[in-house]
Amino acid sequence: MIYFRADRTGFSESNMAGSSGQSGHPRFWRKRKDREPLNDLISQMLMAQRASEERFLQMEERRMEQEQEAEERRLRLEERRLQLDRQHELRMFTLFAQMLGMIRQGGGGEVMPNTVANFSQEGDIAGKGVTGKAQEPPQGDVYNCNQYCSPYLSTRGNILSGFRGSSEEGYRAYHEDKYDEDKNPNGIINFGTSENKLCFDLMSKRLTESDMNVIEPPLLQYPDWKGHTFLREEVARFLTYYCKAPSPLNPENVVILNGCGSLFSALAAVLCDPGDAILIATPFYGGITQSIFLYSGIKLMYVHLESKITSPGTRPFQLTVSKLESTLQTAKEEGTIIKALILINPHNPLGDIYSATEMMEFLEFAKRNSLHVIVDEIYMLSVFDESATFHSVLSLDKLPDPQRTHVMWGISKDFAVSGVRFGTLYSQNQDVCNGVASLCYFHGVCGPIQYKVAQLMRDRDWINQVYLRVNHSRLRAAQAFVADELRSIGVPFLNRGAGFFTWIDFRKYLRAPTFEEEVSLWRDFLDNKVLLSCGKAFECSEPGWFRVIFSDKTHRLQLGMQRIRKVLERREKELQMEKQSPVEEDGKADSTDEVIYVSSHHEPSSSNLSNLIVQLQDQMRSSDWLQQNTAENFAQQHPEVFQVYSKYVGKQ
């Protein structure tokens, strides 16, 4: 057999070798003609083989792709099945927790806060593993809204439905069991909601006078969404006067909404994009979190402040530009875009009043970093300490960045009408005003209320000569009472002269410095029928701080403080019985003029002497204090204080 290489020309190596002698021979051409069909057949067979091999490779690749897709589908199905199992377990746990809470409530037991059962879908507590050692409270991340996923709601709907503030259950319990001196004397006393309950007599009388009861056609029709012109003009005059603006404010820069919570929501939507964040110092009024998050999904970047005084001339929880700079740098490193800074002045819950110098430093910081500044001045007329001076941002001669500075105020706090939803924004940036005004369609104020508010603001004589004088006097007396009660049991607190609240240090009553223990103490207060706000509700970084609202009637203050004292005394005994080591003073708020601490078990030391004199001076500023407290009566009611004061006077 002769082997040869065939191609389309019919030539092979063998016949090429003998071509010189046989190329013209007839037999050669006959043989060549006979081989052509064979060559074509072999060529077709080779091409068919190649095509078969390529087809086989394609089929093998497809088979491998299908196997990979099947494996991926299997993994996805397995992951989905595990997720559904976790959700089912979560729903079962939630149902069990609700049943347990109902059983406990029905049996007179404790009311379980919703925050204690705030689990994520992954089965973690507070966003951390169950086996983790983080000392975060069970409520943990306030943005973790996945307790239960309803099949009837969208993802956004589930977030809105599941979002809960840190004191949700406490307020719910309060509304179901409100204290009433006659009808329910064993009900819950609310020291948690920041409302002024001292001036109902003044406001009810003024708001029902004849000039307030006007109904005209324009008041019952759609207004300009920014607010009726007559009201915006009156707001501009009102803020010019009480904020001590260097020049008249422009009504075109005024926008009216139904409360400052709506203002926070609107500003977050107008100033930020999804995924952006806003700087805010902690502790702060926790309602801001919900206001800016629920509509726009905007989160807060916390500037954590500490209670411990680190250098002379500073105060507990003091905000500084360096702390703002540090937090902003951290946000940049994490890839978080910061769009704005929120400042609360006077501060809730600290009661601090920022000086004009501090405010200017904060505004300069914001300008350097192109940040909007949202200034909440809702307590500006609730500064009752006559020695304190409030400086509104609108009083500054020249704002560093007026196009990015936005001031809000409302009547709910300063005029003791939290049920009347009215808030106002003042901004020189017309783009911001127009953006916020577009949302007034959903957050407008009804015409008759706008008229009443305008009438109230016009009555400058009544505000200055009647309301503010009486309101400040009552706030001073109420704050002095709570402060005196806290001193008598040796509890540290911030001694401030603005707002309705006292920021109190209960850390020594915790069994451990954890937020779980803080919630436990909060629950003890609630079980003893007094509702407070724990520090975690304000995102305080130190467990054990509480806010107490003192703007309430005397008999409720007395009973509420008695209940608080009872809980603390029982806690103190339990801690002694458990033979725990004494609480270290390190990390506690310092005993300075900023933080009052007087022990009820020992003679007051000389370091607290100046604090006692400050107490007496504060009480003497009250308009009716001298009439109600003669030297003899005061010596009988406060022998410890009177003795120290007498010693001090004798040394002069």
Side-chain angles (χ1 to χ4, degrees):
M1 179 177 287
I2 300 175
Y3 294 92
F4 61 91
R5 180 175 61 86
D7 53 20
R8 291 189 180 275
T9 63
F11 290 97
S12 65
E13 293 181 358
S14 59
N15 59 35
M16 285 289 292
S19 62
S20 59
Q22 300 179 1
S23 59
H25 197 279
R27 294 177 57 188
F28 171 81
W29 288 108
R30 190 164 51 250
K31 292 179 179 179
R32 178 180 178 184
K33 186 176 181 180
D34 294 337
R35 291 174 180 169
E36 286 181 354
L38 180 61
N39 292 344
D40 292 338
L41 179 61
I42 294 173
S43 177
Q44 292 176 6
M45 290 177 62
L46 292 174
M47 293 175 63
Q49 181 181 4
R50 180 181 297 177
S52 298
E53 290 176 351
E54 291 177 354
R55 178 61 177 167
F56 177 81
L57 290 175
Q58 291 176 357
M59 293 176 64
E60 187 68 12
E61 290 175 356
R62 180 58 181 165
R63 184 185 64 80
M64 294 177 66
E65 290 176 357
Q66 290 176 347
E67 289 179 354
Q68 185 176 359
E69 291 175 356
E71 179 66 13
E72 291 176 353
R73 284 198 301 269
R74 186 187 67 78
L75 292 176
R76 286 198 298 268
L77 289 173
E78 183 177 357
E79 182 179 357
R80 178 58 178 166
R81 184 167 58 253
L82 292 174
Q83 183 180 5
L84 292 174
D85 289 342
R86 287 195 295 266
Q87 292 180 1
H88 176 70
E89 292 173 0
L90 177 61
R91 286 193 291 268
M92 294 299 295
F93 175 84
T94 303
L95 179 61
F96 175 79
Q98 292 174 352
M99 293 174 60
L100 180 61
M102 294 173 61
I103 294 173
R104 288 179 172 175
Q105 292 179 24
E110 63 185 14
V111 179
M112 179 179 293
N114 189 52
T115 57
V116 175
N118 190 6
F119 285 74
S120 67
Q121 285 189 352
E122 285 70 32
D124 295 347
I125 299 178
K128 302 181 184 297
V130 175
T131 59
K133 298 180 180 180
Q135 294 181 346
E136 286 292 318
Q139 61 265 43
D141 185 1
V142 295
Y143 302 107
N144 179 13
C145 310
N146 297 321
Q147 289 189 19
Y148 169 72
C149 292
S150 170
Y152 303 105
L153 301 178
S154 65
T155 300
R156 181 170 50 192
N158 274 296
I159 291 175
L160 296 175
S161 175
F163 193 97
R164 289 292 184 270
S166 60
S167 301
E168 182 77 13
E169 283 298 320
Y171 293 132
R172 184 181 303 170
Y174 163 70
H175 286 295
E176 294 175 354
D177 187 20
K178 285 185 179 181
Y179 168 84
D180 184 274
E181 189 175 7
D182 299 320
K183 299 178 181 179
N184 190 22
N186 294 321
I188 296 174
I189 294 177
N190 186 358
F191 283 177
T193 305
S194 186
E195 294 179 304
N196 186 346
K197 301 177 182 178
L198 297 171
C199 296
F200 174 76
D201 55 336
L202 299 177
M203 293 306 302
S204 62
K205 180 180 179 181
R206 183 66 190 91
L207 292 176
T208 54
E209 290 181 355
S210 58
D211 65 319
M212 292 287 182
N213 299 322
V214 174
I215 297 294
E216 297 176 349
L219 300 180
L220 302 181
Q221 298 168 358
Y222 292 126
D224 178 346
W225 293 120
K226 294 173 67 175
H228 280 292
T229 302
F230 68 83
L231 176 58
R232 289 189 285 115
E233 292 175 346
E234 201 57 53
V235 167
R237 287 190 288 266
F238 180 90
L239 295 179
T240 299
Y241 177 81
Y242 286 102
C243 294
K244 297 180 173 59
S247 59
L249 300 179
N250 187 354
E252 290 301 313
N253 299 334
V254 175
V255 184
I256 307 299
L257 280 80
N258 60 342
C260 286
S262 298
L263 270 172
F264 274 117
S265 294
L267 285 170
V270 168
L271 302 180
C272 302
D273 293 316
D276 293 343
I278 299 177
L279 278 181
I280 191 169
T282 70
F284 66 91
Y285 166 57
I288 296 175
T289 302
Q290 181 170 346
S291 297
I292 73 164
F293 176 71
L294 289 186
Y295 274 8
S296 305
I298 306 303
K299 296 186 179 183
L300 296 171
M301 187 75 177
Y302 300 144
V303 183
H304 289 293
L305 307 181
E306 298 178 351
S307 63
K308 190 172 183 178
I309 298 176
T310 56
S311 60
T314 60
R315 61 181 183 271
F317 299 105
Q318 183 171 357
L319 177 63
T320 63
V321 171
S322 62
K323 295 175 182 177
L324 291 171
E325 292 279 8
S326 176
T327 306
L328 182 61
Q329 181 60 33
T330 301
K332 291 179 179 179
E333 293 172 356
E334 295 176 352
T336 301
I337 299 176
I338 303 295
K339 286 291 186 67
L341 165 67
I342 293 176
L343 297 173
I344 308 172
N345 186 35
H347 194 275
N348 177 9
L350 301 178
D352 280 342
I353 301 173
Y354 295 129
S355 66
T357 302
E358 287 177 311
M359 288 301 302
M360 187 61 73
E361 291 175 350
F362 300 150
L363 295 175
E364 291 286 359
F365 156 80
K367 180 181 180 180
R368 289 194 303 272
N369 295 280
S370 300
L371 300 180
H372 290 271
V373 182
I374 303 171
V375 186
D376 180 1
E377 297 186 352
I378 197 169
Y379 290 97
M380 74 172 184
L381 297 182
S382 298
V383 180
F384 54 85
D385 184 351
E386 295 175 346
S387 64
T389 302
F390 168 73
H391 297 277
S392 170
V393 167
L394 298 176
S395 70
L396 301 178
D397 291 332
K398 186 178 181 181
L399 294 174
D401 192 353
Q403 291 297 304
R404 287 190 175 91
T405 304
H406 320 291
V407 184
M408 63 170 63
W409 176 80
I411 65 173
S412 60
K413 311 299 183 182
D414 287 341
F415 286 98
V417 286
S418 55
V420 178
R421 309 307 300 136
F422 172 88
T424 182
L425 170 71
Y426 190 86
S427 174
Q428 297 183 39
N429 190 318
Q430 284 302 308
D431 293 335
V432 172
C433 289
N434 293 335
V436 172
S438 67
L439 295 173
C440 291
Y441 180 82
F442 309 105
H443 299 287
V445 179
C446 68
I449 292 298
Q450 291 195 41
Y451 181 85
K452 285 179 179 287
V453 172
Q455 286 294 97
L456 180 66
M457 290 182 174
R458 290 190 186 102
D459 198 350
R460 204 78 53 79
D461 290 338
W462 179 82
I463 293 174
N464 293 334
Q465 303 303 323
V466 178
Y467 179 76
L468 290 181
R469 285 189 175 185
V470 175
N471 184 38
H472 290 170
S473 175
R474 293 175 178 178
L475 287 173
R476 278 195 299 271
Q479 192 269 351
F481 173 80
V482 172
D484 190 53
E485 288 291 307
L486 294 172
R487 291 187 186 98
S488 68
I489 56 179
V491 174
F493 63 97
L494 297 191
N495 191 32
R496 300 292 188 263
F500 310 152
F501 26 74
T502 298
W503 190 238
I504 305 175
D505 182 4
F506 285 146
R507 285 180 290 178
K508 69 178 182 180
Y509 297 99
L510 303 184
R511 297 180 181 88
T514 66
F515 286 105
E516 287 85 356
E517 267 298 294
E518 180 181 273
V519 171
S520 176
L521 179 57
W522 174 86
R523 188 185 296 118
D524 285 349
F525 287 130
L526 188 62
D527 288 344
N528 208 47
K529 298 304 181 70
V530 59
L531 174 62
L532 306 183
S533 297
C534 58
K536 190 58 183 178
F538 306 92
E539 294 301 325
C540 183
S541 60
E542 302 174 3
W545 288 86
F546 282 70
R547 188 189 72 173
V548 169
I549 301 299
F550 57 75
S551 51
D552 208 338
K553 294 295 185 179
T554 302
H555 66 278
R556 285 194 289 267
L557 287 179
Q558 292 174 339
L559 182 57
M561 292 307 298
Q562 288 176 8
R563 294 176 178 180
I564 290 175
R565 181 192 291 262
K566 182 179 178 181
V567 171
L568 297 179
E569 290 176 347
R570 183 174 66 246
R571 275 250 170 179
E572 193 171 24
K573 291 180 180 178
E574 291 174 354
L575 291 173
Q576 291 175 353
M577 292 177 62
E578 293 172 3
K579 296 181 180 181
Q580 292 187 350
S581 59
V583 178
E584 296 290 338
E585 288 300 322
D586 292 340
K588 295 277 183 160
D590 295 342
S591 299
T592 67
D593 290 340
E594 299 293 342
V595 180
I596 305 301
Y597 179 80
V598 181
S599 174
S600 60
H601 306 292
H602 305 283
E603 183 72 10
S605 63
S606 59
S607 63
N608 298 115
L609 193 57
S610 60
N611 295 332
L612 296 175
I613 304 305
V614 171
Q615 173 195 358
L616 294 175
Q617 291 173 344
D618 289 342
Q619 291 176 329
M620 291 173 66
R621 292 192 187 102
S622 300
S623 59
D624 56 351
W625 188 86
L626 290 175
Q627 298 176 2
Q628 298 178 1
N629 294 272
T630 63
E632 293 78 7
N633 290 339
F634 187 81
Q636 294 177 359
Q637 297 175 4
H638 308 281
E640 183 183 35
V641 176
F642 185 76
Q643 181 181 5
V644 174
Y645 182 71
S646 299
K647 291 180 180 179
Y648 179 79
V649 173
K651 294 179 181 180
Q652 301 302 310

